[in-house]
Amino acid sequence: MEKIAKRQQSKRLSRRRFLQRTGISAAALNFTMNLPSLALAADATPRQRLIIVFSPNGVIPKHFWPTAGEEKLEFKRILKPLEPFANQTLTIKGLCNQIQGDGDGHMRGMGCLLTGIELFPGDIQGGSDTPAGWSMGISIDQFLKNQLQADPSTRTRFGSLEFGVMVPDRADTWTRMSYAGANQPVAPIDDPYKMFDKLYGQAKNRELLASVLDDLTGDFKKIESMVSSEDRHLLQQHVELVRKVEKDLKIELEASTNNVGHAVPELKPNVEVQNDNMPEITRMQTELLVSAMAADFARVATFQITNSVGQPRMRWLDIDEGHHGLSHEPDSNEDAYEKLIRINTWYCEQIAHLAKRLQDTPEPGGEGSMLDHTTIVWTNELGKGNSHTRNDIPFVCVGGGLGLQTGRAKDYGKVPHNRFLLTIAEQMGFGQKTFGNPDFCGDGALTGLV
């Protein structure tokens, strides 16, 4: 096995050197290296990708969870947008965040969601519980990143990417779910311009957004004659995707930089501008995420839409109240109850849009679509907002990346969510005996999912 790995690494390095001699830029190099005409063909292992998407403040269970055990997966109101992906969807009920210790329910819900381990004592006070600090361990996304980056055959430019939408500038336990290790929170990038800079390295600032399209087009022309007609089609698709992202970014930039003729005061939360652009920012980040994974910049990503106790005011849904405030209302408040259903349905629409973009994008260097090789895991820090329960945390999986048996609803009753983190690690090829607090890992990865 060691000899095979070294041979694959040698071939990959030789191909990289060959492409570098053509003079193409770093932005084009990772994408072109994975085209079938220039790849390792028979030696190449199909890619597996994982995208973990977060939305906050719990759900309305009655209008969310399908009935487990039925032959056909049903889609209640909140999950209705995923109905076109019925054959590629799996809902997993009965996963409970049983981590105790410091911090309030939201803090432990967020900080322990992907780490499965307690929070350090700290000075961040939430609710009526004890104050707390950061998580004591690494999150599953960063664990997988480290494993993939350690192998030359699965190493990518970034390893993982952390996207955000409307995540507050402040750094606290409510705003971070990804951890590089104990006491090491990873901040998501919630500004699409900054993410564009990170991915393509051409935009020097918001005011002077430099185009990468000309450089990429020139690079791709250099290698057109070296690849098959199918690969030329993939190259053209990638150029068109970058062009669309660039156009959307420029339109958004022009709309947000009107010269008012005087110094603009700093409004404390800056909610009005940011809040009302939330749908557009979410779509922009989605396009950048799909583009980055098509280019094989990373095979693991998190997409954090707002934060625990997030307060977006979804005026585009005719909802003026903040999401977190509504989530505390009793079920008897029919107006709030209905608004929460609509809010969660909107979040589901974003998952469906991401799935559609992946489904519509052919797998670079492989068969089927990118969705066939990617699993989206949509989750939340709470099972239900007004009770603050961390039982029945939403876990909805879409796509084929983890090799799970989809098109059904599973209900495990009440088991630690650490076991699902173990399942993710196992299905990505990095099985572990424990992940997070070992007290909640005794029965190992979940059975009956593959």
Side-chain angles (χ1 to χ4, degrees):
M1 289 296 292
E2 185 177 351
K3 288 182 179 179
I4 293 173
K6 287 182 178 179
R7 186 164 63 249
Q8 289 180 337
Q9 182 181 10
S10 177
K11 288 183 180 180
R12 188 173 180 87
L13 290 173
S14 297
R15 188 167 71 257
R16 179 178 288 273
R17 283 193 289 267
F18 166 74
L19 290 170
Q20 284 174 332
R21 283 199 295 269
T22 67
I24 69 172
S25 65
L29 184 60
N30 267 16
F31 182 81
T32 54
M33 278 185 65
N34 290 284
L35 292 171
S37 303
L38 300 172
L40 292 176
D43 288 335
T45 301
R47 300 178 202 168
Q48 286 182 285
R49 304 185 197 85
L50 175 69
I51 301 173
I52 300 174
V53 184
F54 170 86
S55 60
N57 302 325
V59 297
I60 303 296
K62 180 179 177 181
H63 296 280
F64 183 89
W65 292 110
T67 303
E70 292 195 358
E71 186 174 330
K72 183 179 179 182
L73 182 62
E74 64 173 333
F75 290 88
K76 295 186 178 177
R77 276 188 66 185
I78 291 172
L79 293 187
K80 201 75 173 174
L82 285 174
E83 200 164 29
F85 305 95
N87 292 335
Q88 291 179 286
T89 297
L90 167 70
T91 63
I92 310 175
K93 190 180 179 185
L95 302 185
C96 309
N97 180 347
Q98 298 181 4
I99 307 300
Q100 300 300 315
D102 295 314
D104 67 16
H106 280 284
M107 295 166 75
R108 275 178 280 139
M110 189 71 168
C112 311
L113 179 63
L114 301 185
T115 64
I117 198 167
E118 289 77 10
L119 304 176
F120 281 112
D123 57 3
I124 302 174
Q125 179 66 56
S128 58
D129 298 88
T130 57
W134 301 118
S135 177
M136 292 183 178
I138 193 169
S139 56
I140 188 66
D141 57 306
Q142 296 301 299
F143 166 79
L144 293 172
K145 168 189 176 177
N146 292 344
Q147 301 301 312
L148 292 167
Q149 293 299 84
D151 184 345
S153 67
T154 55
R155 187 176 300 152
T156 55
R157 180 178 171 190
F158 296 108
S160 69
L161 290 166
E162 292 74 42
F163 288 78
V165 174
M166 272 189 66
V167 179
D169 289 337
R170 71 176 194 272
D172 56 40
T173 321
W174 296 286
T175 67
R176 302 290 185 263
M177 69 174 182
S178 185
Y179 286 80
N183 226 16
Q184 299 177 59
V186 178
I189 297 175
D190 70 347
D191 183 337
Y193 301 94
K194 291 180 181 178
M195 183 59 79
F196 190 80
D197 287 351
K198 178 182 176 77
L199 294 176
Y200 297 104
Q202 297 291 319
K204 298 189 184 301
N205 51 55
R206 284 182 70 98
E207 290 72 30
L208 299 173
L209 187 62
S211 171
V212 299
L213 184 58
D214 290 341
D215 289 343
L216 285 174
T217 303
D219 289 337
F220 291 156
K221 283 183 178 179
K222 291 177 184 177
I223 64 168
E224 272 185 349
S225 60
M226 306 176 194
V227 301
S228 66
S229 59
E230 290 83 3
D231 285 349
R232 283 196 292 274
H233 179 64
L234 284 174
L235 290 174
Q236 184 58 39
Q237 282 188 323
H238 192 61
V239 169
E240 290 174 359
L241 182 58
V242 174
R243 181 183 288 118
K244 183 181 186 305
V245 170
E246 183 185 34
K247 181 180 177 182
D248 288 346
L249 288 170
K250 285 186 174 179
I251 290 173
E252 182 66 22
L253 178 64
E254 291 169 1
S256 63
T257 55
N258 296 324
N259 183 6
V260 296
H262 57 82
V264 179
E266 277 194 332
L267 302 176
K268 187 177 180 182
N270 199 23
V271 169
E272 294 297 327
V273 173
Q274 217 175 9
N275 184 92
D276 292 345
N277 282 338
M278 186 173 165
E280 178 65 18
I281 292 169
T282 304
R283 291 301 172 96
M284 291 164 70
Q285 293 284 62
T286 298
E287 290 301 311
L288 288 168
L289 173 53
V290 174
S291 176
M293 290 214 156
D296 205 26
F297 288 167
R299 298 185 186 181
V300 176
T302 52
F303 192 179
Q304 183 182 321
I305 308 178
T306 77
N307 57 286
S308 178
V309 304
Q311 280 279 42
R313 300 174 186 275
M314 298 190 176
R315 285 186 271 265
W316 57 94
L317 301 179
D318 295 324
I319 298 174
D320 290 325
E321 300 94 333
H323 181 191
H324 179 238
L326 283 171
S327 74
H328 276 246
E329 291 295 316
D331 291 351
S332 58
N333 184 333
E334 294 181 4
D335 181 61
Y337 192 82
E338 173 63 25
K339 287 175 179 177
L340 288 168
I341 294 172
R342 283 157 49 198
I343 287 171
N344 280 283
T345 302
W346 183 84
Y347 281 121
C348 188
E349 288 171 354
Q350 310 318 302
I351 304 300
H353 177 70
L354 173 58
K356 184 69 164 62
R357 291 293 298 112
L358 291 167
Q359 184 183 64
D360 289 346
T361 306
E363 174 65 18
E367 298 179 353
S369 72
M370 285 185 63
L371 186 61
D372 296 327
H373 299 264
T374 306
T375 292
I376 303 166
V377 177
W378 177 29
T379 186
N380 200 301
E381 90 274 28
L382 298 178
K384 195 169 188 291
N386 57 12
S387 64
H388 280 179
T389 180
R390 287 172 290 117
N391 292 334
D392 291 334
I393 299 170
F395 282 101
V396 178
C397 304
V398 186
L402 293 179
L404 305 176
Q405 186 181 339
T406 52
R408 60 194 182 128
K410 290 285 289 183
D411 188 343
Y412 285 91
K414 188 175 181 182
V415 301
H417 84 292
N418 298 62
R419 295 184 61 191
F420 183 56
L421 301 180
L422 285 171
T423 302
I424 292 174
E426 184 174 278
Q427 291 305 112
M428 287 290 287
F430 307 107
Q432 303 289 303
K433 291 184 178 180
T434 65
F435 192 89
N437 187 330
D439 292 344
F440 300 115
C441 303
D443 294 321
L446 296 171
T447 58
L449 286 184
V450 295

